[in-house]
Amino acid sequence: MSDVSITIRRNGPFIVQGPIQLVDSNGQTIPVDKPVIALCRCGGSANKPFCDGTHSKIGFQGAEAAVLAAEAAKPSSE
Ligand code: FES
């Protein structure tokens, strides 16, 4: 089993726990000095790639919740 885990918070960030190397799109390593980090999933953080709590202020709904809501709204085919 891997030493790294990624947990999706409901309507919130990805919680990454374990030894990782975080690299941006330019190949630059982003220093990670904590054993647990939260990566923004909503796109609203002013401190990307890290979560700064903005997801709560903007009412972000994660894909899982959105998919479940869409499934519930579908007319039944049975
Ligand atoms: S997920 Fe928290 S600010 Fe985007």
Side-chain angles (χ1 to χ4, degrees), residues 12-13 39-45 50-55 60:
L39 295 177
C40 179
R41 187 161 66 111
C42 74
S45 175
F50 303 104
C51 170
D52 69 356
T54 298
H55 60 271
F60 173 67

Side-chain angles (χ1 to χ4, degrees), residues 1-77:
M1 185 150 179
S2 173
D3 291 339
V4 177
S5 69
I6 302 173
T7 304
I8 303 169
R9 282 280 179 86
R10 182 181 299 272
N11 300 326
F14 296 110
I15 304 299
V16 182
Q17 186 167 12
I20 63 161
Q21 181 181 26
L22 187 57
V23 180
D24 73 10
S25 60
N26 294 320
Q28 297 287 330
T29 298
I30 300 170
V32 175
D33 58 356
K34 300 175 183 174
V36 179
I37 61 171
L39 295 177
C40 179
R41 187 161 66 111
C42 74
S45 175
N47 189 31
K48 294 181 190 77
F50 303 104
C51 170
D52 69 356
T54 298
H55 60 271
S56 295
K57 297 174 191 158
I58 64 175
F60 173 67
Q61 291 198 321
E64 180 183 0
V67 169
L68 291 175
E71 291 293 322
K74 281 185 183 175
S76 176
S77 60

